[in-house]
């Protein structure tokens, strides 16, 4: 489409012309990485851009070819984002969402400190996300589309993300129209805002990010398995040991009848 915002006239590639008071461009995103190509920028940094202008990284989110520069957020290459759904062409595209950027920040902040201390680095592996990336898409002011795997939705509900729809819709379709979408987005925004000035909220949000299966952190404490998962209970090793029977008191021993003497063997 050719845009002429002054005349409010727009032409499509098929020659059609239409007029509108406002056009919202929602046809994808372009990484703001032109400064990587600046003449004063180290050529090694310029070489870290892929063909689409996103930043190439290693699994520790270090800039490609440079061990002391870390990268996070939407400019990171596609490989370190979760994917949701399959398009008509059969492709699955990365979802550049704030939740994933939070996972990036978990890896980067820990790795900056560990680079100094010499500890093992955390990493990202997007292939470890079998459920896909949950997405909330606004559809006006009163409802939205929640895209969540049916097995994952109950876990989010348990954490306070109430979708207001039957989970069978997520199981059957992988998504559902929900009237709670605006409220959920406000809830998430409130969590993020409080995390900037309330230490407990910051720690809670950090732990929430650490649950991302795409994060591989060898130094993180083990996460408890979800209810019903293998090893979550019911196995012999998971059962709590029973307390041994208490020893009888002296009074109880005195009240016990004496055992009959055994008959002598011939």
């Amino acid at each position: 489409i050719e845009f002429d915002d002054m005349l409010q006239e727009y032409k499509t590639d098929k020659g059609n012309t239409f007029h509108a008071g406002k056009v919202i461009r929602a046809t994808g995103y372009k990484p703001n990485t032109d400064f990587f190509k600046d003449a004063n920028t180290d050529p090694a940094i310029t070489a870290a851009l892929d063909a689409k202008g996103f930043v190439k990284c290693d699994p520790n989110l270090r800039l490609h070819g440079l061990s002391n520069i870390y990268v996070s957020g939407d400019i990171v290459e596609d490989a370190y984002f979760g994917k949701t759904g399959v398009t008509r062409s059969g492709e699955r595209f990365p979802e550049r969402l704030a939740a994933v950027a939070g996972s990036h920040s978990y890896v980067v902040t820990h790795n900056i400190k560990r680079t100094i201390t010499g500890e093992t680095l955390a990493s990202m592996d997007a292939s470890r996300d079998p459920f896909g990336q949950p997405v909330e898409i606004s559809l006006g002011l009163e409802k939205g589309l929640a895209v969540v795997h049916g097995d994952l939705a109950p876990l989010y509900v348990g954490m306070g993300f109430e979708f207001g729809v039957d989970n069978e819709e997520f199981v059957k379709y992988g998504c559902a129209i929900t009237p709670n979408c605006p409220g959920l987005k406000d809830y998430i925004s409130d969590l993020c805002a409080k995390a900037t000035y309330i230490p407990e909220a910051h720690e809670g949000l950090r732990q929430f990010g650490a649950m991302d299966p795409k994060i591989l952190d060898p130094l993180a404490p083990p996460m408890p398995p979800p209810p019903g998962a293998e090893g979550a209970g019911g196995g012999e090793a998971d059962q709590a040991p029973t307390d041994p029977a208490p020893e009888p008191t002296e009074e109880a021993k005195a009240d016990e009848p004496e055992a009959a003497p055994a008959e002598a063997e011939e």
Side-chain angles (χ1 to χ4, degrees):
I1 297 176
E2 295 180 10
F3 294 90
D4 190 329
D5 292 328
M6 292 294 292
L7 298 177
Q8 297 184 338
E9 181 177 277
Y10 308 94
K11 296 180 180 179
T12 71
D13 57 355
K14 295 183 179 180
N16 299 319
T17 301
F18 65 94
H19 295 82
K22 177 173 290 197
V23 172
I24 299 175
R25 300 162 175 84
T27 56
Y29 37 68
K30 178 183 177 183
N32 184 19
T33 54
D34 287 344
F35 65 94
F36 276 60
K37 306 171 187 176
D38 186 274
N40 296 321
T41 300
D42 190 309
I45 295 178
T46 304
L49 296 180
D50 65 15
K52 294 185 290 185
F54 293 104
V55 180
K56 294 183 288 185
C57 306
D58 67 10
N60 307 119
L61 298 186
R62 293 178 296 191
L63 195 69
H64 181 72
L66 297 166
S67 62
N68 63 337
I69 300 178
Y70 290 90
V71 189
S72 69
D74 289 356
I75 64 171
V76 172
E77 62 176 307
D78 293 354
Y80 300 105
F81 289 88
K83 299 181 174 77
T84 297
V86 180
T87 64
R88 293 179 183 178
S89 65
E91 296 178 89
R92 298 178 71 222
F93 293 96
E95 298 287 354
R96 284 181 160 80
L97 303 174
V100 188
S103 298
H104 290 169
S105 67
Y106 176 96
V107 173
V108 168
T109 52
H110 280 75
N111 285 351
I112 289 175
K113 292 188 291 186
R114 294 175 190 179
T115 299
I116 297 171
T117 60
E119 295 176 285
T120 306
L121 301 182
S123 61
M124 290 280 292
D125 182 358
S127 68
R128 287 169 44 88
D129 195 1
F131 296 118
Q133 182 63 46
V135 184
E136 287 271 2
I137 304 170
S138 297
L139 302 174
L141 299 176
E142 298 180 355
K143 58 185 177 181
L145 178 69
V147 182
V148 187
H149 193 283
D151 291 342
L152 197 61
L155 178 62
Y156 279 100
V157 172
M159 293 188 293
F161 296 89
E162 180 56 62
F163 298 105
V165 295
D166 194 312
N167 192 60
E168 287 301 313
E169 290 196 49
F170 292 121
V171 173
K172 186 174 182 180
Y173 303 110
C175 61
I177 299 293
T178 167
N180 293 1
C181 184
L184 287 171
K185 290 199 168 188
D186 289 342
Y187 175 59
I188 295 170
S189 297
D190 184 58
L191 284 177
C192 294
K194 288 179 177 177
T196 63
Y197 63 92
I198 300 176
E200 293 79 9
H202 179 273
E203 178 60 18
L205 200 62
R206 188 196 68 79
Q207 291 181 3
F208 181 75
M211 294 171 59
D212 188 338
K214 296 185 291 298
I215 295 176
L216 292 168
D217 187 355
L219 302 186
M223 298 295 293
E230 184 178 351
E236 190 173 312
D238 297 316
Q239 295 176 354
T242 56
D243 292 330
E247 289 288 332
T249 62
E250 292 298 326
E251 292 80 0
K253 290 180 179 178
D255 295 335
E256 288 180 0
E258 293 186 7
E263 295 182 4
E265 295 181 359
E266 294 183 358

